[in-house]
Tab-separated table of all heavy atoms in Angstrom:
chain	number	residue	atom	x	y	z
F	53	PHE	N	114.403	104.731	99.944
F	53	PHE	CA	113.371	104.988	98.938
F	53	PHE	C	113.321	103.852	97.922
F	53	PHE	O	112.235	103.352	97.589
F	53	PHE	CB	113.613	106.325	98.221
F	53	PHE	CG	112.704	106.500	97.047
F	53	PHE	CD1	111.362	106.773	97.226
F	53	PHE	CD2	113.191	106.351	95.762
F	53	PHE	CE1	110.508	106.901	96.140
F	53	PHE	CE2	112.348	106.476	94.671
F	53	PHE	CZ	111.009	106.753	94.861
F	54	ILE	N	114.476	103.408	97.444
F	54	ILE	CA	114.536	102.317	96.464
F	54	ILE	C	113.955	101.038	97.063
F	54	ILE	O	113.210	100.310	96.407
F	54	ILE	CB	115.985	102.109	95.976
F	54	ILE	CG1	116.438	103.321	95.159
F	54	ILE	CG2	116.118	100.819	95.174
F	54	ILE	CD1	117.942	103.376	94.912
F	55	ARG	N	114.294	100.768	98.333
F	55	ARG	CA	113.738	99.585	99.002
F	55	ARG	C	112.220	99.703	99.109
F	55	ARG	O	111.493	98.737	98.871
F	55	ARG	CB	114.351	99.402	100.385
F	55	ARG	CG	113.755	98.193	101.112
F	55	ARG	CD	114.345	97.969	102.463
F	55	ARG	NE	114.023	99.069	103.350
F	55	ARG	CZ	114.631	99.269	104.508
F	55	ARG	NH1	115.583	98.456	104.912
F	55	ARG	NH2	114.296	100.279	105.268
F	56	CYS	N	111.733	100.857	99.450
F	56	CYS	CA	110.285	101.074	99.546
F	56	CYS	C	109.628	100.811	98.195
F	56	CYS	O	108.604	100.126	98.110
F	56	CYS	CB	110.002	102.494	100.017
F	56	CYS	SG	108.243	102.900	100.140
F	57	ARG	N	110.229	101.313	97.138
F	57	ARG	CA	109.689	101.092	95.794
F	57	ARG	C	109.673	99.595	95.456
F	57	ARG	O	108.712	99.094	94.883
F	57	ARG	CB	110.526	101.877	94.777
F	57	ARG	CG	109.953	101.864	93.380
F	57	ARG	CD	110.725	102.766	92.450
F	57	ARG	NE	112.128	102.369	92.431
F	57	ARG	CZ	113.127	103.168	92.084
F	57	ARG	NH1	112.890	104.415	91.743
F	57	ARG	NH2	114.360	102.737	92.073
F	58	ALA	N	110.724	98.884	95.860
F	58	ALA	CA	110.786	97.436	95.622
F	58	ALA	C	109.675	96.713	96.378
F	58	ALA	O	108.978	95.860	95.821
F	58	ALA	CB	112.150	96.888	96.029
F	59	HIS	N	109.493	97.069	97.637
F	59	HIS	CA	108.460	96.417	98.444
F	59	HIS	C	107.061	96.730	97.900
F	59	HIS	O	106.173	95.875	97.965
F	59	HIS	CB	108.599	96.811	99.915
F	59	HIS	CG	109.722	96.107	100.588
F	59	HIS	ND1	109.539	95.071	101.477
F	59	HIS	CD2	111.072	96.255	100.472
F	59	HIS	CE1	110.719	94.630	101.886
F	59	HIS	NE2	111.653	95.337	101.293
F	60	ARG	N	106.889	97.909	97.358
F	60	ARG	CA	105.608	98.257	96.734
F	60	ARG	C	105.369	97.376	95.514
F	60	ARG	O	104.245	96.956	95.265
F	60	ARG	CB	105.573	99.729	96.329
F	60	ARG	CG	105.484	100.669	97.517
F	60	ARG	CD	105.472	102.114	97.060
F	60	ARG	NE	104.280	102.423	96.289
F	60	ARG	CZ	103.095	102.716	96.812
F	60	ARG	NH1	102.945	102.764	98.110
F	60	ARG	NH2	102.072	102.987	96.035
F	61	ALA	N	106.425	97.093	94.765
F	61	ALA	CA	106.283	96.227	93.585
F	61	ALA	C	105.818	94.834	94.002
F	61	ALA	O	104.929	94.253	93.364
F	61	ALA	CB	107.608	96.143	92.828
F	62	LEU	N	106.395	94.307	95.075
F	62	LEU	CA	105.967	92.996	95.564
F	62	LEU	C	104.508	93.063	96.017
F	62	LEU	O	103.696	92.194	95.681
F	62	LEU	CB	106.859	92.518	96.704
F	62	LEU	CG	106.491	91.146	97.276
F	62	LEU	CD1	106.647	90.064	96.220
F	62	LEU	CD2	107.356	90.842	98.496
F	63	HIS	N	104.175	94.097	96.754
F	63	HIS	CA	102.802	94.292	97.226
F	63	HIS	C	101.826	94.365	96.056
F	63	HIS	O	100.699	93.887	96.142
F	63	HIS	CB	102.736	95.568	98.071
F	63	HIS	CG	101.402	95.845	98.663
F	63	HIS	ND1	100.483	96.672	98.056
F	63	HIS	CD2	100.819	95.399	99.796
F	63	HIS	CE1	99.392	96.729	98.795
F	63	HIS	NE2	99.576	95.974	99.861
F	64	ASP	N	102.272	94.937	94.941
F	64	ASP	CA	101.430	95.089	93.753
F	64	ASP	C	101.471	93.856	92.849
F	64	ASP	O	100.881	93.863	91.765
F	64	ASP	CB	101.843	96.332	92.960
F	64	ASP	CG	101.535	97.622	93.698
F	64	ASP	OD1	100.688	97.602	94.630
F	64	ASP	OD2	102.138	98.657	93.347
F	65	GLY	N	102.200	92.810	93.267
F	65	GLY	CA	102.200	91.562	92.511
F	65	GLY	C	103.243	91.464	91.423
F	65	GLY	O	103.082	90.679	90.483
F	66	ASP	N	104.330	92.220	91.516
F	66	ASP	CA	105.376	92.189	90.496
F	66	ASP	C	106.695	91.735	91.117
F	66	ASP	O	107.553	92.555	91.461
F	66	ASP	CB	105.523	93.571	89.863
F	66	ASP	CG	106.427	93.571	88.639
F	66	ASP	OD1	107.145	92.574	88.405
F	66	ASP	OD2	106.412	94.583	87.910
F	67	PRO	N	106.894	90.409	91.284
F	67	PRO	CA	108.116	89.921	91.931
F	67	PRO	C	109.380	90.210	91.132
F	67	PRO	O	110.461	90.334	91.707
F	67	PRO	CB	107.873	88.417	92.086
F	67	PRO	CG	106.841	88.081	91.070
F	67	PRO	CD	105.996	89.318	90.910
Side-chain angles (χ1 to χ4, degrees):
F53 171 73
I54 293 166
R55 178 179 65 194
C56 179
R57 187 174 57 203
H59 284 255
R60 289 179 65 82
L62 180 63
H63 183 265
D64 292 341
D66 189 347

